[in-house]
Amino acid sequence: MVFAGMVALVLFSSFVLGYVWIRSEYDQFSRQSAEIRQDFLENQKVLLSSETRRSVDNMRFMANRTESVLKDNIRNRTEEALSIAWNIYRKFGSDRPEAEVRKMIREALRPIRYSDGRGYFFIVSIDGVEVLYPVFPESEGKDVTDLQDERGNFVIREEIKVVREHGEGFVTGYWKKPGQETSEASPKISFVKLFEPFDWYIGTGEYLDDVEAAIQKDALDLASSVRFGVKGDKRLFVRTFEGEDLVDGRQAREDASRLLGDDPASRERIIEEQINAAKQKPEGIFVEFLVPEKGEHVSSENLTFVMAVPEWGWVVGSGVLTDEIEEMITAGGERLREKVIRRFIQISLMVLF
């Protein structure tokens, strides 16, 4: 009887100690889970904001340099055209008739194109006669000093003035782009430079919005190539203020649609919230929302960081599903459960044998 009582006491004590140990393990796991969850969120916030800021800073830098990039390009192109003209003049100017040399220069520049065929060279005499205008050759040989842009500016007169006073310079005109006659006039910046032997000036120009579009394409190509995160599965998204997707930034995994869900109405609402938040705080803001459940999946929390690029009317950001950490914690709970079961079996065997 005494032995049985001792055995019962030992068993009871073992189970009490086992319970205390198990409870301690689970309490510790709960505390660690809370710390892991908080650390995960903080790390994700740093990761999302730093990658988004880096991309937006680059976009803003590129946007602010649009005009300077245009001017550098057309200045360099004009210098190339002048180099061609001078080479022809130095080689043939002394032993060929002047009219022939003029024609040689004109025809050498006529077919040259750049910037995907948009750019070309023109020549105007210092007294306002069109010498070369390859996109509208019918104007060649005619006086164009009275030519006005869409705002009534006498652009040729301004070019002549710049060349007479400074030898070279930039002039801005406002024109309706070919094929877009119903649209508003676009600013076109030209660079002109004097060619002294024939009292000509040679120049070229580019529409500001064409250069901006090319720069935007480069910016989008760069943004679409960005990968970050431990698995390299996080990407940026870029949208217009109107909600048009420019770069698909959903995570590259099989269930990527969970970032925004597949319900059109819900997606539209979420995107609108992100855009409005970015427009109100262009410097950056975190937006949290629930992604509606899909099939067997429960609703998931999405943490997104968004910034605005007002210069281009864009919103840039990246997001993460916070259930990623819950999956990690659940896996940790499973490991703890297995550990507890093994420990319980060990204690039971020690007590019984």
Side-chain angles (χ1 to χ4, degrees):
M1 189 71 176
V2 173
F3 177 76
M6 292 179 63
V7 171
L9 179 61
V10 170
L11 286 172
F12 177 75
S13 299
S14 298
F15 282 113
V16 169
L17 291 174
Y19 171 79
V20 171
W21 177 81
I22 292 171
R23 181 59 183 268
S24 174
E25 287 290 312
Y26 272 105
D27 287 345
Q28 182 179 3
F29 175 74
S30 296
R31 290 192 299 271
Q32 290 177 343
S33 296
E35 293 172 359
I36 292 172
R37 186 178 291 106
Q38 185 62 33
D39 288 344
F40 172 83
L41 291 175
E42 292 302 320
N43 289 337
Q44 291 302 308
K45 285 184 175 182
V46 171
L47 182 63
L48 296 177
S49 61
S50 62
E51 291 295 335
T52 302
R53 288 186 190 282
R54 183 179 295 112
S55 183
V56 169
D57 287 346
N58 180 64
M59 289 177 181
R60 288 175 175 168
F61 173 76
M62 296 172 76
N64 291 331
R65 292 193 66 247
T66 299
E67 185 170 329
S68 63
V69 168
L70 185 159
K71 287 183 174 181
D72 286 345
N73 185 42
I74 60 176
R75 180 194 287 272
N76 291 337
R77 295 292 183 176
T78 301
E79 294 292 351
E80 291 172 5
L82 263 295
S83 179
I84 293 172
W86 275 109
N87 285 338
I88 293 173
Y89 180 77
R90 291 185 180 118
K91 186 173 183 179
F92 301 105
S94 60
D95 57 4
R96 298 282 182 93
E98 182 176 301
E100 183 179 347
V101 177
R102 287 171 179 263
K103 182 178 180 180
M104 291 173 67
I105 294 173
R106 185 172 66 244
E107 297 311 314
L109 298 180
R110 186 182 298 279
I112 298 176
R113 298 291 186 273
Y114 63 92
S115 295
D116 297 324
R118 297 192 311 268
Y120 57 87
F121 297 112
F122 58 82
I123 302 174
V124 181
S125 68
I126 206 70
D127 56 0
V129 175
E130 194 83 71
V131 176
L132 171 66
Y133 197 57
V135 295
F136 190 59
E138 293 85 354
S139 66
E140 294 175 8
K142 297 179 181 179
D143 189 324
V144 290
T145 51
D146 291 332
L147 180 65
Q148 293 177 271
D149 67 7
E150 295 295 329
R151 296 189 178 183
N153 301 311
F154 290 92
V155 179
I156 302 300
R157 295 181 188 179
E158 183 63 27
E159 290 175 349
I160 292 172
K161 180 182 178 182
V162 167
V163 170
R164 286 186 182 277
E165 293 180 357
H166 306 289
E168 63 181 54
F170 295 97
V171 175
T172 301
Y174 295 84
W175 310 95
K176 290 186 177 180
K177 301 171 71 174
Q180 301 180 21
E181 285 75 11
T182 58
S183 62
E184 294 184 1
S186 300
K188 184 174 186 179
I189 301 176
S190 296
F191 181 77
V192 292
K193 186 168 182 177
L194 182 64
F195 182 64
E196 295 91 340
F198 298 145
D199 283 335
W200 288 349
Y201 64 84
I202 299 175
T204 188
E206 277 257 56
Y207 284 100
L208 190 61
D209 55 2
D210 283 342
V211 176
E212 182 177 65
I215 289 175
Q216 288 175 339
K217 182 181 182 303
D218 289 342
L220 288 174
D221 287 344
L222 183 59
S224 66
S225 69
V226 173
R227 299 289 185 276
F228 59 98
V230 176
K231 300 178 181 179
D233 59 353
K234 292 179 176 59
R235 297 185 287 179
L236 298 168
F237 63 78
V238 183
R239 298 189 182 98
T240 66
F241 282 173
E242 291 72 37
E244 177 187 358
D245 280 313
L246 301 178
V247 172
D248 184 1
R250 294 183 304 179
Q251 292 189 44
R253 63 185 189 184
E254 184 178 356
D255 200 15
S257 63
R258 292 179 63 195
L259 269 178
L260 289 176
D262 286 336
D263 178 62
S266 176
R267 288 173 63 91
E268 185 175 341
R269 176 185 58 78
I270 291 171
I271 290 173
E272 184 178 359
E273 289 179 5
Q274 293 176 343
I275 292 172
N276 289 336
K279 290 168 70 174
Q280 291 173 10
K281 290 194 174 182
E283 69 279 6
I285 184 173
F286 285 98
V287 181
E288 299 181 56
F289 54 86
L290 284 176
V291 177
E293 61 182 49
K294 174 189 175 184
E296 63 182 16
H297 298 298
V298 297
S299 296
S300 303
E301 292 186 10
N302 183 303
L303 175 67
T304 298
F305 183 78
V306 291
M307 295 182 70
V309 185
E311 298 89 340
W312 290 344
W314 289 0
V315 172
V316 183
S318 186
V320 62
L321 291 175
T322 58
D323 63 358
E324 287 184 12
I325 187 60
E326 300 305 328
E327 293 173 0
M328 294 170 55
I329 291 174
T330 299
E334 287 298 317
R335 290 192 295 271
L336 176 60
R337 187 177 68 85
E338 294 171 1
K339 176 182 177 182
V340 167
I341 291 174
R342 289 196 302 271
R343 184 61 174 168
F344 180 78
I345 293 174
Q346 291 174 354
I347 292 174
S348 299
L349 292 174
M350 289 173 60
V351 170
L352 294 175
F353 300 101

